[in-house]
Amino acid sequence: MKRSLTRVAARVADLASSLRAGAPDVSGTFVVWEPCSRNHGEVVPGFVRYLRALGYRVSVLVSPGRVREGLFSRSHDPDVQVFGLPQRRIRRWIRRGSLGVMVTTASKLPVLDDGRIDYEQVFGPDEATPVYVVEHDVRERVDRGVWDPRSITLRAVDYRGARSVVVNPHDFGTIAVTPRSTGPLRFLVVGTLGKGKRAQHRIVDAVRELLGAGERGFEVTVIGKRGVGRLPADVAGMFRVLGRVSFATLYAEVERADVLLTAYEAENSDHDFYRTAGTSGNFQLVWGFAKPCVVLREFAAINGLDEDNSFIYDGSGGLADGMRRAIALMPAAYARMQSRLKQDAAALADTSRRNLAALLASAQERGVESRSRAVAG
């Protein structure tokens, strides 16, 4: 009851704040719009940084809660204006005088009967301002034969030959790349510990296996839904469960952590998505904070991970072994792994920036050509 009242109070405060803010002036800027109120917000700062590197002033339009949670708490740029507005209000102002619009969660847009995005319903008939969309799951539009290869994805997809524009946003602003902890190794899990699509219950089993072998030089912090009361008593003492947290807290916890922990299963059809048609926000944190990752081999290479920058293990039963190798890694070897991650992240950012620049240039050329034909007609 108390949590529900807190959420209601936050929504009322958000509404009052957005009404005081008035209409956002996005003219002469490139708009980045996140239409999802709960997920995918972590990609927004990275897309903004790429656009700034290409010389654009940027307007960010997000739900008020995203601002309140500190999405841009590590980013301070006078040429970036962030507006927290209800989604219905955002749609009224999204395209007024802007140089372009990037929608960072395409699945939140309405679709036509054939599965294509209904741009006109959201943006109106104006074709002068280009719109770019970020797809987090390519399956439906590919399966229906309406996939647009100009769509942005966070990595190259491996799904029915679909091609896309790869732009990986992993810049969260000013962060500290921290060395290995001097005490117990700090693992971080972003997700729940249930038997859902990510099978994080494997982590509980792996912790139990490590304890059975006498290994206690670690702790596991969990950011997600499930509370510590649901953990088995024999392993609960090794977990630090924070529940849902703000972006500001997430950033601080990733800095505090040594290694990110995942629990994908090669034999689980629900997990095919993470190695074919989409990816996970965990990997954005790996690149953005230079944190090695414990990951199943089948999910490593397609996400840019290998033995030099992460802890790769084989078979779902091998998770404990991957964790054990991470625990045993000495500070100097950990620093070398981080150095490799920083190099790989810089190369990924350079490729992403060039891909985005080419996409924007191509759209501008098509726009000029379209308007020229209209004038000639």
Side-chain angles (χ1 to χ4, degrees), residues 33 91 103 105-123 133-135 137-142 144 146-148 151:
W33 172 30
R91 292 193 181 198
V103 184
T105 303
S107 62
K108 288 296 181 178
L109 299 179
V111 297
L112 300 167
D113 291 341
D114 64 359
R116 288 179 297 127
I117 295 172
D118 187 353
Y119 290 102
E120 186 168 338
Q121 181 179 331
V122 180
F123 302 105
V133 298
V134 180
E135 294 275 12
D137 185 348
V138 309
R139 290 175 295 187
E140 182 173 357
R141 272 185 265 280
V142 172
R144 299 186 68 174
V146 295
W147 174 252
D148 185 348
S151 300

Side-chain angles (χ1 to χ4, degrees), residues 8 16 42 59 72 129 143 153 164 173 178 181 183 205 209 229 234 236 239 256 258 261 308 312 345 377:
V8 170
E42 72 279 355
S59 296
F72 280 86
T129 304
D143 290 345
T153 60
S164 63
T178 52
S181 302
D205 296 339
E209 181 178 336
D234 60 327
F239 287 88
R256 178 184 181 275
D258 297 310
L261 199 52
D308 291 328
I312 315 300

Side-chain angles (χ1 to χ4, degrees), residues 26-32 47-60 77-81 97-102 129-130 132 353 356-365:
V26 301
S27 59
T29 68
F30 201 111
V31 170
V32 176
F47 281 122
V48 170
R49 291 295 288 263
Y50 286 139
L51 289 167
R52 288 291 299 122
L54 295 176
Y56 291 97
R57 291 173 52 244
V58 181
S59 296
V60 179
D77 185 337
D79 286 317
V80 176
Q81 52 183 359
S98 62
L99 302 177
V101 177
M102 178 183 290
T129 304
Y132 310 87
R353 188 166 47 249
L356 181 58
L359 175 65
L360 301 188
S362 174
Q364 289 168 357
E365 290 173 4

Side-chain angles (χ1 to χ4, degrees), residues 21-340:
D25 181 7
V26 301
S27 59
T29 68
F30 201 111
V31 170
V32 176
W33 172 30
E34 175 49 74
C36 185
S37 299
R38 295 184 65 83
N39 300 315
H40 304 307
E42 72 279 355
V43 304
V44 176
F47 281 122
V48 170
R49 291 295 288 263
Y50 286 139
L51 289 167
R52 288 291 299 122
L54 295 176
Y56 291 97
R57 291 173 52 244
V58 181
S59 296
V60 179
L61 302 179
V62 294
S63 296
R66 309 279 84 176
V67 179
R68 188 180 66 249
E69 293 167 2
L71 179 60
F72 280 86
S73 59
R74 298 300 184 92
S75 303
H76 306 284
D77 185 337
D79 286 317
V80 176
Q81 52 183 359
V82 180
F83 298 100
L85 297 167
Q87 292 296 328
R88 289 184 180 179
R89 290 198 67 203
I90 287 176
R91 292 193 181 198
R92 291 173 52 193
W93 305 102
I94 190 73
R95 212 172 182 180
R96 300 198 177 188
S98 62
L99 302 177
V101 177
M102 178 183 290
V103 184
T104 53
T105 303
S107 62
K108 288 296 181 178
L109 299 179
V111 297
L112 300 167
D113 291 341
D114 64 359
R116 288 179 297 127
I117 295 172
D118 187 353
Y119 290 102
E120 186 168 338
Q121 181 179 331
V122 180
F123 302 105
D126 174 27
E127 296 182 0
T129 304
V131 177
Y132 310 87
V133 298
V134 180
E135 294 275 12
H136 296 277
D137 185 348
V138 309
R139 290 175 295 187
E140 182 173 357
R141 272 185 265 280
V142 172
D143 290 345
R144 299 186 68 174
V146 295
W147 174 252
D148 185 348
R150 293 169 297 185
S151 300
I152 297 169
T153 60
L154 273 55
R155 65 161 173 80
V157 295
D158 182 16
Y159 188 75
R160 300 183 63 180
R163 298 176 65 84
S164 63
V165 179
V166 177
V167 182
N168 187 281
H170 55 268
D171 189 328
F172 300 92
T174 302
I175 60 97
V177 177
T178 52
R180 187 199 187 284
S181 302
T182 55
L185 188 81
R186 297 168 177 173
F187 291 107
L188 175 64
V189 179
V190 180
T192 65
L193 291 175
K195 294 189 177 183
K197 66 179 181 178
R198 301 214 184 157
Q200 306 287 35
H201 65 287
R202 294 279 186 186
I203 293 173
V204 173
D205 296 339
V207 168
R208 182 177 288 115
E209 181 178 336
L210 289 171
L211 291 177
E215 179 60 74
R216 304 189 67 86
F218 69 97
E219 69 172 27
V220 181
T221 296
V222 183
I223 291 176
K225 298 177 184 177
R226 185 157 294 191
V228 71
R230 298 187 178 218
L231 290 169
D234 60 327
V235 299
M238 304 304 294
F239 287 88
R240 175 174 168 260
V241 181
L242 303 184
R244 290 187 178 276
V245 301
S246 67
F247 284 105
T249 299
L250 173 65
Y251 299 156
E253 287 298 327
V254 181
E255 286 178 331
R256 178 184 181 275
D258 297 310
V259 175
L260 290 172
L261 199 52
T262 65
Y264 302 112
E265 297 173 318
E267 68 276 12
N268 189 332
S269 60
D270 289 338
H271 293 192
D272 285 342
F273 166 81
Y274 297 106
R275 55 178 172 172
T276 57
T279 186
S280 165
N282 278 293
F283 301 120
Q284 309 310 111
L285 299 175
V286 167
W287 299 121
F289 290 81
K291 296 296 179 180
C293 179
V294 177
V295 62
L296 185 65
R297 187 173 303 280
E298 287 85 345
F299 296 82
I302 196 167
N303 289 296
L305 304 177
D306 57 33
E307 302 285 358
D308 291 328
N309 61 24
S310 285
F311 303 96
I312 315 300
Y313 66 92
D314 295 293
S316 297
L319 177 57
D321 177 65
M323 295 175 66
R324 186 179 294 109
R325 284 186 282 119
I327 295 167
L329 195 70
M330 299 302 291
Y334 180 87
R336 288 193 295 272
M337 190 172 278
Q338 278 194 310
S339 178
R340 169 64 189 279

